[in-house]
């Protein structure tokens, strides 16, 4: 398996972890296993009821942690780009922090701050793994320069590039804001109105970002295609959100969390690539 294929595999496997974590919360299984790091004092307890979701989540998380160690070493030895060489160690730090925070959440019996932090850090880790995969795959494709001669009206100016980067970062920030208050609502039942406000901000900024990319650098498929996917997921997420609000069952709630994680990951990739691939 090549390094690029491995990063894609790990991103997909980490997405499975996000789904598993969402199922733990959606099924109310977070304290089905009351101890940590073992489960009822065992490495592998009987998988029944809520234990299936909680211990299954732990097993997937442990596997992701092991795979991240391999990624960090592989990137450090094989990657050429300085950021990519360090990216694996950043990912390893994030996954270790996430594991410890998950253990604290169980041992302290689900305090809201720890539970919300665990939910958000998990999605940040997934987004960073997706960014690593994007860097690994896009590094062999030439970047777009705002100073190069391009066919009008595709030529981006320095100001165009700066506005694109600023809008990409703002969009990612609003998506994170939205996920934060979504996690608060899932774990406390509070601040739903802030989650709705975040949805409005995300809706507006994703559409603006997609338009800015089309107007600035439509020829770069590493930005234009993620932008198109982001718009599609936006409307899927809105539909899921409304449906989950009316029928908050396990599949709907978990799917809403999973699509939210994809939106954060793609917006993060666009933000990163706007600095790596579009030169002022």
């Amino acid at each position: 398996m090549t390094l690029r294929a491995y990063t894609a595999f790990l991103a997909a496997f980490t997405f499975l972890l996000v789904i598993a974590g969402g199922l733990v919360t959606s099924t109310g299984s977070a304290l089905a296993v009351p101890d940590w790091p073992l489960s009822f004092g065992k490495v592998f307890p009987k998988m029944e009821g809520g234990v299936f979701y909680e211990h299954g989540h732990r097993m997937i998380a442990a596997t992701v942690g092991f795979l991240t160690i391999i990624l960090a070493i592989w990137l450090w030895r094989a990657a050429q780009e300085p950021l990519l060489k360090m990216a694996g160690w950043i990912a390893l730090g994030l996954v270790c922090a996430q594991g410890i925070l998950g253990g604290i959440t169980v041992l302290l019996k689900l305090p809201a701050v720890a539970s919300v932090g665990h939910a958000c850090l998990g999605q940040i880790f997934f987004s960073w793994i997706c960014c690593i995969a994007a860097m690994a795959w896009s590094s062999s494709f030439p970047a777009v320069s705002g100073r190069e001669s391009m066919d009008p009206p595709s030529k981006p100016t320095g100001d165009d590039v700066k506005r694109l980067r600023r809008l990409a970062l703002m969009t990612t920030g609003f998506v994170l804001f939205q996920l934060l208050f979504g996690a608060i609502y899932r774990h406390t039942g509070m601040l739903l109105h802030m989650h709705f406000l975040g949805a409005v901000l995300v809706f507006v900024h994703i559409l603006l970002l997609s338009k800015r990319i089309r107007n600035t650098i439509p020829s770069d498929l590493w930005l234009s295609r993620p932008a198109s996917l982001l718009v599609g997921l936006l409307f899927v997420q809105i539909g899921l959100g409304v449906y989950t609000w009316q029928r908050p069952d396990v599949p709907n709630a978990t799917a809403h969390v999973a699509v939210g994680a994809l939106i954060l990951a793609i917006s993060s990739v666009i933000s990163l690539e706007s600095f790596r691939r579009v030169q002022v």
Side-chain angles (χ1 to χ4, degrees), residues 11-210:
F13 201 85
T14 305
F15 184 59
L16 177 62
L17 177 59
V18 171
I19 294 173
L23 283 170
V24 170
T25 302
S26 299
T27 58
S29 303
L31 289 180
V33 180
D35 54 337
W36 182 85
L38 296 177
S39 300
F40 299 104
K42 302 177 182 179
V43 175
F44 203 86
K46 189 174 182 179
M47 302 289 280
E48 58 182 10
V51 177
F52 172 80
Y53 295 103
E54 170 61 12
H55 189 71
H57 172 60
R58 293 186 186 187
M59 292 297 97
I60 296 172
T63 304
V64 168
F66 177 73
L67 294 174
T68 304
I69 294 173
I70 296 174
L71 176 69
I73 296 172
W74 198 344
L75 286 174
W76 181 255
R77 292 172 62 90
Q80 300 298 318
E81 186 177 347
L83 176 59
L84 194 53
K85 289 180 73 71
M86 290 299 302
W89 299 113
I90 296 172
L92 183 58
L94 288 173
V95 78
C96 288
Q98 176 71 344
I100 293 171
L101 187 55
I104 292 173
T105 301
V106 171
L107 296 177
L108 297 183
K109 310 302 180 186
L110 306 183
V113 172
S115 297
V116 170
H118 185 63
C120 293
L121 185 57
Q123 301 217 12
I124 291 171
F125 171 72
F126 170 60
S127 297
W128 184 241
I129 293 296
C130 289
C131 285
I132 290 175
M135 284 191 285
W137 281 86
S138 67
S139 58
S140 60
F141 293 85
V144 176
S145 173
R147 294 174 182 173
E148 293 175 356
S149 176
M150 300 176 63
D151 294 334
S154 300
K155 180 180 179 180
T157 66
D159 288 340
D160 289 334
V161 172
K162 291 177 182 178
R163 284 194 290 266
L164 170 62
R165 290 173 175 173
R166 184 167 57 247
L167 183 57
L169 290 173
M170 288 177 61
T171 302
T172 302
F174 284 131
V175 173
L176 187 58
F177 170 88
Q178 161 78 347
L179 293 177
L180 168 64
F181 284 100
I184 291 174
Y185 178 70
R186 274 171 63 82
H187 289 282
T188 69
M190 300 170 59
L191 299 179
L192 180 59
H193 64 288
M194 295 298 292
H195 188 55
F196 287 156
L197 173 61
V200 174
L201 293 172
V202 169
F203 178 81
V204 171
H205 281 78
I206 284 180
L207 294 183
L208 289 175
L209 178 60
S210 177

